[in-house]
Amino acid sequence: MNLADGAIWLALMKIIWVNILLSGDNAVVIALAARALPPRQQRAAVLGGSAAAIVLRVVLTLFAVQLLAYPYLKLVGAVLLLWIGVQLLAGEDEGGGNIHASNSIGTAIRTILVADLVMSLDNVIAVAAAANSAPAGAQTMLLVVGLGLSIPLIIFGSTLLMKLMERFPLIITLGAALLGFVAGEMAVTDPSIEAWVHEHLGGLEFIVGLIGAVLVVVVGRTLARRAAQADSAH
């Protein structure tokens, strides 16, 4: 792996940003599951649950990267990424609401792990797509490093980030736009259409990414505005 390759560092930054953006709900799950434990056991539950969840996510993401090598699956992944970005802006990510507290550290960790598995589709698809822009030989290492960095982000940084998002909504918009951009980049590299894209749209891959970013922001903002109008009507 050539560390001087700018594509590697760009892909790593994408992975880290996606993890920052999408880890807020996981932090909420951890807090809810561990809140009834004695203070001394809360830290163990948080660390143990987070570590187990990250290991599980690494395994799932490695499989996702392999699957993205097959025809049409990148197109499906791109559609999922667009949907994730739209939902992020539409404000419909309410993943942690049904998590119950436990007074057993083992039960709390198990709850955290199961909930994270259910909620990790967005992270897995987004991180796999971000790693896809790196050279093939560097993808696995970038996934392990990027997802490993998400452990402290989930434990210590998500609460602060959620507060910043409440104060500076532009962060949410930029993050959702990044997901749309990555979706566009991934779609044009699908094996089923890559040759056609290079022949007819050579040099326009960046434009397709921008279209994806704009699409996510426009659709997401439109849905959020309609939801707000519906709430005010009631």
Side-chain angles (χ1 to χ4, degrees):
M1 182 172 65
N2 181 13
L3 295 179
D5 190 341
I8 292 177
W9 292 102
L10 179 60
L12 180 60
M13 294 306 298
K14 288 180 181 179
I15 291 172
I16 293 174
W17 176 245
V18 164
N19 273 296
I20 292 174
L21 186 69
L22 297 178
S23 292
D25 53 359
N26 303 85
V28 171
V29 166
I30 292 170
L32 289 172
R35 69 184 186 275
L37 292 171
R40 285 185 297 180
Q41 292 185 359
Q42 285 181 351
R43 180 174 177 82
V46 168
L47 293 176
S50 299
I54 292 299
V55 170
L56 176 63
R57 195 176 301 168
V58 169
V59 174
L60 291 175
T61 307
L62 290 175
F63 278 110
V65 170
Q66 297 301 319
L67 289 174
L68 290 178
Y70 291 93
Y72 304 109
L73 288 180
K74 283 187 180 181
L75 294 175
V76 174
V79 172
L80 286 174
L81 265 187
L82 291 172
W83 179 82
I84 291 166
V86 168
Q87 295 303 305
L88 187 67
L89 284 181
E92 296 182 6
D93 189 5
E94 301 172 353
N98 296 320
I99 304 302
H100 301 287
S102 171
N103 54 13
S104 164
I105 185 171
T107 303
I109 291 177
R110 186 166 60 251
T111 300
I112 291 168
L113 189 58
V114 172
D116 189 83
L117 173 62
V118 173
M119 297 162 56
S120 287
L121 176 62
D122 52 0
N123 299 69
V124 169
I125 294 296
V127 170
N132 186 69
S133 62
Q139 290 180 2
T140 300
M141 179 60 67
L142 285 176
L143 287 171
V144 174
V145 173
L147 289 171
L149 289 174
S150 68
I151 296 176
L153 291 174
I154 290 175
I155 297 174
F156 302 112
S158 295
T159 301
L160 174 61
L161 184 67
M162 285 187 289
K163 291 180 179 178
L164 288 175
M165 285 180 173
E166 291 177 1
R167 187 171 181 181
F168 304 106
L170 180 61
I171 296 176
I172 301 176
T173 301
L174 292 176
L178 174 62
L179 294 181
F181 184 84
V182 172
E185 282 190 325
M186 182 166 64
V188 297
T189 59
D190 187 273
S192 65
I193 63 172
E194 186 173 16
W196 185 91
V197 169
H198 279 298
E199 180 179 352
H200 297 89
L201 301 175
L204 295 180
E205 290 87 350
F206 182 80
I207 301 299
V208 176
L210 287 180
I211 292 173
V214 172
L215 179 63
V216 166
V217 172
V218 171
V219 174
R221 286 298 183 193
T222 300
L223 292 177
R225 186 165 53 250
R226 289 180 179 176
Q229 292 173 348
D231 288 340
S232 62
H234 290 87

